[in-house]
Amino acid sequence: MDRDSIDRLGAELAAAADAAADTAALEAVRVAALGKKGRVTELMKGLGAMAPEARRAAGQSLNQLRDRIEAAIAARAEAIRRRDRTAKLAEEKVDVTLPVRPTAEGKLHPVSQVIDEVTEIFAAMGFVVAEGPDIEDDFHNFTALNIPPEHPARQMHDTFYLAGGAGSNAPPLLRTHTSPVQVRTMQAGPPPYRIVVPGRTYRRDSDQTHTPMFHQIEGLAIDRSITMGHLKGCLEEFARAFFESDQVRMRFRPSHFPFTEPSAEVDINYTVENGVVRVGAGERWMEILGCGMVHPKVLEMCGVDPAQWQGFAFGMGLDRIAMLKYGIPDLRTMFEGDLRWLAHYGFSPLDLPSFGQGLSR
Ligand code: DAH
């Protein structure tokens, strides 16, 4: 075969590749040219019968022919792939302006909902969320909070201790409150601080009103001149926002915590109507949190100068206020993982609490 006819064949096959409408048509072009019985392959088979000189020249032209066709096929394949991808993207386009369908399954646990609500309220007052580990050490959970070894408060905490700890090293433990995150926050950087810390806490306690794992939220506000008045204002604002009622009254009772001085426990008023608890009505009082002015010794142990900085802290049980707000009668059912319970008491994960939309809409 002479050069001209090889060129013509090359042009013909390259044009066929260019014209292939899809991957299957292109594959047919490839087989017809380069397959076992393809036209180029057949020509190559003829090489064996040629004289060595002629064979070298013809071999070279046929190799070039094959390369040309392979290149044309590869280019066409890429063009087809790109065209198909563009079409697919256009076809599978998601219309993000469509309204979201409410999910039938998958509910947010009331405790998660309450954490979202509470953090939203405190965030609006300028607090940021901080977190710490569930597995704590003795220093952060007790000593730095002015609860030294042998302090009676340690017994009251019914601590779960973990294996480990040797010699003078106390074993690790499951945090008995969220207060150790106060310590971690102060150790991590200089004041001022305004944090809230929602999280899991653990005590060896299990009966109708106690579960070994429960939830707290801690608050800490330290600045140059924060007073007990600010503490009262924050908590009253919180109670009205959380229970979505201006009728909620609060009572501060003197109390004692090693890490605050002075300390108080806070009650809210409630009444029981037809067996249902109603917050913000009536003359009965229910305790919901502990609080106080952070003890100078705690500030000192965390590297904060108590001559320059002061402020308040509080700790509140989240499970109790979740039960109160959403009429859940039994604490233990909260952690049984029963999907029917969750379907009844759970919240849509797409309705995030916000003041604009109404906290618990
Ligand atoms: N940590 C305490 C507890 O679990 C609650 C508490 C009381 C936290 C007073 C505070 C506080 O920050 O100031 O019982």
Side-chain angles (χ1 to χ4, degrees), residues 157 176-177 179 182 203 216 218-219 257 259-260 290-292 313-315:
H157 278 230
T176 57
H177 48 181
S179 305
Q182 289 187 32
R203 290 187 199 177
Q216 288 190 338
E218 192 81 12
F257 301 102
F259 31 89
T260 43
C291 61
F314 61 86

Side-chain angles (χ1 to χ4, degrees), residues 25 90 146 250:
N146 199 27
M250 277 194 143

Side-chain angles (χ1 to χ4, degrees), residues 125-170:
M125 296 187 219
F127 289 78
V128 297
V129 173
E131 286 182 310
D134 287 18
I135 297 176
E136 263 299 0
D137 55 46
D138 190 273
F139 178 77
H140 290 90
N141 197 78
F142 292 125
T143 305
L145 290 164
N146 199 27
I147 314 175
E150 314 309 329
H151 192 289
R154 289 202 179 204
Q155 267 73 61
M156 285 161 50
H157 278 230
D158 299 313
T159 311
F160 283 110
Y161 286 99
L162 305 179
S168 60
N169 275 344

Side-chain angles (χ1 to χ4, degrees), residues 321-348:
I321 63 166
M323 292 168 68
L324 265 180
K325 182 165 180 180
Y326 292 115
I328 301 166
D330 185 343
L331 173 71
R332 286 176 295 189
T333 59
M334 302 249 282
F335 308 118
E336 280 170 355
D338 186 333
L339 284 176
R340 292 163 302 178
W341 184 92
L342 195 60
H344 181 76
Y345 287 111
F347 291 80
S348 164

